């Protein structure tokens, strides 16, 4: 892993940097490339514009590791409102949440109750809740929370990280549930005894996991795969695999982040692929933004160019 990537991921958890850097005008300007604005209305407008291009959305309010009961309640209420707003606007926009936004760090039972409220509302509206995967200490509780929700409703899915050695086992255990799984490479700083440090290994793991979830026995259980990557070579390899095995479009969707690989997003939509773009919004964007910069060191030059005007 490059020194730059390590430094940016370490910076993502630094409270001093979070409090200061987010006030600098050029940083605020540069972040607009990756998020349409801080308010839900900005995200809904972006979702509407994407929908005209044949691209559906997933909405996520930035924020993680919340610590106060009133904050968990506020986030839960916020997402309940978002589900209603999406319905009123006639949009195809799902939501994606982090368990630590709903109380996982403080009170697991409360987090589960909040998750139930969101999944029940999504179910009633014909919508869908994705559960993001955070750093490795959260993997066990997040999978357990997902399984608990999935036992009650099919309107919930989970993000799973290809860089973790444990993931193939986790996936095997989930397949009988007919899960919706978003395969991602993984965005956190993890030690080499639990996660592949090299991109080439992560890419192979990503391909193998998607292929596993697209296999006939997994498909029989109703498994849905979100191929969540901007890696065009990898996505192309999977498209070829899908064609070769006559896998129906109902078995998978592509997913990308707002503002990244826009031309490729338009291309996939034009080719008739199902694609969702995850649109982030909210005021607490620092750790998320540092992870986006870490994914592509060239983004740091983009920030510097913004600073130089
Ligand atoms: C829909 C979605 C949901 C996600 N949810 C989670 C989650 O719940 N938990 C989690 O740990 N991670 C999540 N991620 C992030 C993921 O783990 C990766 O960190 C991120 O997607 C970068 O990896 P990549 O697959 O795009 O491939 P990479 O090999 O990192 O990138 C491939 C190419 O894509 C382009 N690219 C990638 N990232 C950027 C960027 N930030 N800016 C500009 N260009 C870029 C570059 O051209 C790069 O060469 C999510 C990603 C997506 C798309």
């Amino acid at each position: 892993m490059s020194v730059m990537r390590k430094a940016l991921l370490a910076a993502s958890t630094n409270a001093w940097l979070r409090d200061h850097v987010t006030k600098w005008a050029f940083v605020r300007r540069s972040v607009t490339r990756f998020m349409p604005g801080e308010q839900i209305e900005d995200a809904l407008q972006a979702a509407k514009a994407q929908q005209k291009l044949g691209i559906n959305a997933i909405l996520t309010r930035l924020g993680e590791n919340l610590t106060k009961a009133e904050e968990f309640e506020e986030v839960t209420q916020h997402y309940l409102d978002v589900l209603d707003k999406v319905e009123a606007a006639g949009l195809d926009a799902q939501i994606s949440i982090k368990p630590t936004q709903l109380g996982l760090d403080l009170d697991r039972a409360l987090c589960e109750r909040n998750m139930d409220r969101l999944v029940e509302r999504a179910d009633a509206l014909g919508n869908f809740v994705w559960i993001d995967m955070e750093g490795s200490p959260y993997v066990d509780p997040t999978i357990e929370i997902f399984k608990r929700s999935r036992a009650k409703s099919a309107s919930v899915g989970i993000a799973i990280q290809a860089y973790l050695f444990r993931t193939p086992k986790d996936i095997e255990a989930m397949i009988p549930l007919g899960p919706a799984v978003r395969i991602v490479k993984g965005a956190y700083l993890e030690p080499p005894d639990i996660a592949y440090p090299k991109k080439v290994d992560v890419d192979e793991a990503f391909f193998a996991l998607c292929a596993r979830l697209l296999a006939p026995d997994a498909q029989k259980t109703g498994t849905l795969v979100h191929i969540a990557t901007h890696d065009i070579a990898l996505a192309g390899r999977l498209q070829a695999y899908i064609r070769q095995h006559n896998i129906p479009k109902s078995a998978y969707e592509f997913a990308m982040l707002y503002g990244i690989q826009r031309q490729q997003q338009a291309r996939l939509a034009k080719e008739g692929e199902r694609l969702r773009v995850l649109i982030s919004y909210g005021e607490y964007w620092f750790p998320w933004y540092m992870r986006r910069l870490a994914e592509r060191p060239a983004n740091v030059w983009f920030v510097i160019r913004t600073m130089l005007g």
Side-chain angles (χ1 to χ4, degrees):
M1 192 188 289
S2 76
V3 175
M4 172 91 92
R5 177 151 195 254
K6 265 191 187 152
L8 287 163
L9 289 177
S12 73
T13 54
N14 184 299
W16 187 91
L17 286 174
R18 187 192 60 220
D19 292 343
H20 289 78
V21 170
T22 48
K23 297 194 177 97
W24 299 348
F26 77 92
V27 178
R28 295 184 71 83
R29 272 203 311 280
S30 68
V31 80
T32 58
R33 178 179 169 190
F34 299 105
M35 57 182 250
E38 291 187 351
Q39 307 304 318
I40 176 61
E41 284 70 26
D42 302 318
L44 289 170
Q45 234 172 37
K48 202 171 169 186
Q50 301 268 7
Q51 204 159 295
K52 287 192 184 131
L53 304 174
I55 300 172
N56 293 322
I58 304 172
L59 305 173
T60 193
R61 184 164 86 161
L62 298 170
E64 49 204 85
N65 298 109
L66 301 183
T67 51
K68 298 188 192 105
E70 59 271 24
E71 291 176 325
F72 314 144
E73 180 56 27
E74 193 273 330
V75 170
T76 309
Q77 276 301 336
H78 173 82
Y79 278 119
L80 289 170
D81 285 351
V82 171
L83 288 168
D84 291 343
K85 283 188 165 129
V86 164
E87 175 72 8
L91 289 170
D92 187 336
Q94 303 172 339
I95 60 169
S96 198
I97 46 162
K98 290 187 169 26
T100 64
Q101 286 182 304
L102 300 187
L104 181 58
D105 280 331
L106 195 76
D107 182 343
R108 163 90 173 258
L110 177 62
C111 174
E112 288 175 351
R113 278 203 301 281
N114 287 336
M115 191 69 73
D116 285 347
R117 290 161 69 194
L118 294 176
V119 175
E120 274 163 26
R121 179 72 62 90
D123 223 5
L125 294 171
N127 206 327
F128 198 87
V129 178
W130 285 98
I131 304 177
D132 287 348
M133 188 58 79
E134 302 175 71
S136 53
Y138 295 109
V139 175
D140 277 322
T142 303
I143 290 177
E144 284 158 23
I145 289 168
F146 164 70
K147 285 183 174 166
R148 182 182 168 279
S149 290
R150 182 65 186 82
K152 299 183 192 179
S153 165
S155 303
V156 61
I158 185 170
I160 290 286
Q161 297 154 329
Y163 62 12
L164 294 179
F165 298 150
R166 59 174 286 170
T167 291
K169 247 189 177 169
D170 290 334
I171 289 288
E172 284 309 322
M174 266 179 219
I175 284 175
L177 307 175
V181 182
R182 172 202 297 163
I183 298 292
V184 297
K185 288 193 186 176
Y188 296 82
L189 186 56
E190 301 293 359
D193 57 323
I194 65 164
Y196 295 110
K198 287 195 190 144
K199 173 177 159 58
V200 60
D201 297 323
V202 181
D203 291 357
E204 275 317 301
F206 190 109
F207 182 87
L209 291 165
C210 290
R212 177 66 193 99
L213 289 164
L214 293 166
D217 64 324
Q219 286 303 305
K220 261 194 206 137
T221 67
T223 297
L224 173 76
V225 193
H226 262 202
I227 304 171
T229 183
H230 315 97
D231 187 331
I232 301 311
L234 184 54
R237 246 180 100 194
L238 280 159
Q239 275 185 300
Y241 179 89
I242 285 164
R243 272 196 301 273
Q244 199 186 342
H245 292 82
N246 289 321
I247 295 165
K249 289 216 186 306
S250 56
Y252 68 95
E253 284 188 301
F254 285 94
M256 293 194 187
L257 302 179
Y258 178 87
I260 299 180
Q261 300 279 30
R262 283 174 197 251
Q263 283 181 357
Q264 297 294 339
Q265 292 178 11
R267 177 187 59 82
L268 283 171
K270 258 198 182 147
E271 285 174 10
E273 295 290 10
R274 299 198 300 163
L275 169 68
R276 282 188 189 272
V277 165
L278 190 145
I279 302 172
S280 300
Y281 61 96
E283 289 159 22
Y284 189 83
W285 43 260
F286 180 75
W288 163 86
Y289 189 44
M290 288 298 109
R291 291 198 293 272
R292 298 294 78 83
L293 297 184
E295 281 156 7
R296 192 162 182 251
N299 287 341
V300 176
W301 298 115
F302 168 74
V303 178
I304 292 168
R305 279 205 307 278
T306 312
M307 177 178 72
L308 298 175

